[in-house]
Amino acid sequence: MDDRRRVLREAFNFVEAETIRIRLVDADIPAVVTGTDAGVALSMGGAGTDRLVRVEVAEADYDRANEILRADQARMRDAKPWICSRCGEPNEPAFEVCWSCGKPLADVDQRGAPTPLKPSDFTVDAPREEAPPELDADPNPYRPARLPSGTAIARPGVDVERQEDLEEQVRRAFLSSMVGLLVCPPLVNFYSLALVLMVPSEAYQRPPLRNRLLLAWVIDFVSIGVWTIVWMSTLR
């Protein structure tokens, strides 16, 4: 039996050479890897080498092994990416199994690169802008524009001032009712009642102000009633 071996391929590293060896073993062709990986030799403190890593086969298997590798190279050159029919992920031509879901390549899988997205796929419809209210046509360009009937004109400053004025009136009425419990009752409470009566009814439509006004009413009536009874009892 002829034990002579022949160099089939030279590789830059052991990974590439081992890949070739495994491919030949799958085809029932024994192969061995010889030589030194320059990067590995230098990393281990050794000297560099000018001999690449080699894949060697028996002399009798050389032609068949060379034909197998050439056929693989031609198939890889002509192969196209494929899209997995299960998960829809694209795969490189060298992949025989989908990298995403692990499904083996089959005839139902689409060959070719995935369809690139068009710019229109990323467009978003802009929000529609409402048209401004149409103004009455007027031949006089210097006349102030007339808005349609029923159009409300926002005056934020007026609402804020009105709110502050109501809060101030309610605060004065409430504090005077509290002071009337200790200072000159029930005279101060009569003054507090006058302040409460002068507060506009609009304040009762706002819960925080309404609660303070109702409490002022209760304090004033209780104070006036209690101190009236006390004074009448002292006069007897």
Side-chain angles (χ1 to χ4, degrees):
M1 182 177 180
D2 190 1
D3 294 334
R4 290 181 301 175
R5 293 182 302 188
R6 185 174 177 181
V7 177
L8 178 65
R9 291 287 189 277
E10 288 186 341
F12 290 101
N13 51 58
F14 276 113
V15 175
E16 182 181 351
E18 187 65 17
T19 302
I20 298 174
R21 188 192 70 81
I22 294 174
R23 175 67 181 92
L24 296 176
V25 171
D26 289 341
D28 296 330
I29 300 177
V32 294
V33 177
T34 62
T36 304
D37 189 331
V40 174
L42 291 175
S43 65
M44 299 297 293
T49 177
D50 58 354
R51 181 182 178 184
L52 298 177
V53 183
R54 298 178 178 181
V55 180
E56 299 180 0
V57 296
E59 185 73 27
D61 296 329
Y62 179 83
D63 293 336
R64 189 163 68 94
N66 193 33
E67 187 64 26
I68 290 175
L69 295 183
R70 287 183 177 180
D72 290 346
Q73 292 176 353
R75 185 171 63 255
M76 291 298 300
R77 184 174 58 253
D78 299 335
K80 297 180 180 179
W82 57 281
I83 301 176
C84 180
S85 59
R86 176 190 294 173
C87 64
E89 288 293 331
N91 292 269
E92 294 297 327
F95 289 6
E96 297 292 335
V97 176
C98 177
W99 67 268
S100 178
C101 65
K103 187 188 80 65
L105 175 63
D107 295 337
V108 296
D109 296 316
Q110 177 184 351
R111 282 287 186 177
T115 304
L117 297 176
K118 298 179 294 184
S120 58
D121 297 333
F122 299 95
T123 57
V124 180
D125 295 337
R128 296 182 179 179
E129 297 182 358
E130 297 182 359
E134 297 182 358
L135 304 179
D136 296 338
D138 196 327
N140 184 2
Y142 301 102
R143 181 176 299 172
R146 292 183 298 173
L147 296 176
S149 59
T151 303
I153 301 177
R155 294 183 295 176
V158 176
D159 295 339
V160 173
E161 293 178 359
R162 181 61 175 171
Q163 174 69 16
E164 293 178 351
D165 183 61
L166 289 176
E167 291 179 355
E168 178 62 22
Q169 294 185 49
V170 173
R171 186 183 67 84
R172 291 173 57 189
F174 178 75
L175 290 179
S176 61
S177 65
M178 297 293 294
V179 172
L181 293 174
L182 303 174
V183 180
C184 298
L187 298 179
V188 177
N189 294 108
F190 282 110
Y191 171 72
S192 175
L193 279 178
L195 294 179
V196 171
L197 292 174
M198 289 188 297
V199 175
S201 59
E202 180 184 352
Y204 290 90
Q205 300 176 2
R206 306 182 183 186
L209 302 182
R210 181 179 65 240
N211 295 338
R212 299 182 70 178
L213 286 173
L214 294 178
L215 184 58
W217 277 103
V218 172
I219 294 174
D220 289 334
F221 278 115
V222 171
S223 178
I224 292 173
V226 171
W227 284 103
T228 300
I229 295 174
V230 172
W231 283 9
M232 291 180 63
S233 62
T234 57
L235 295 177
R236 293 179 182 178

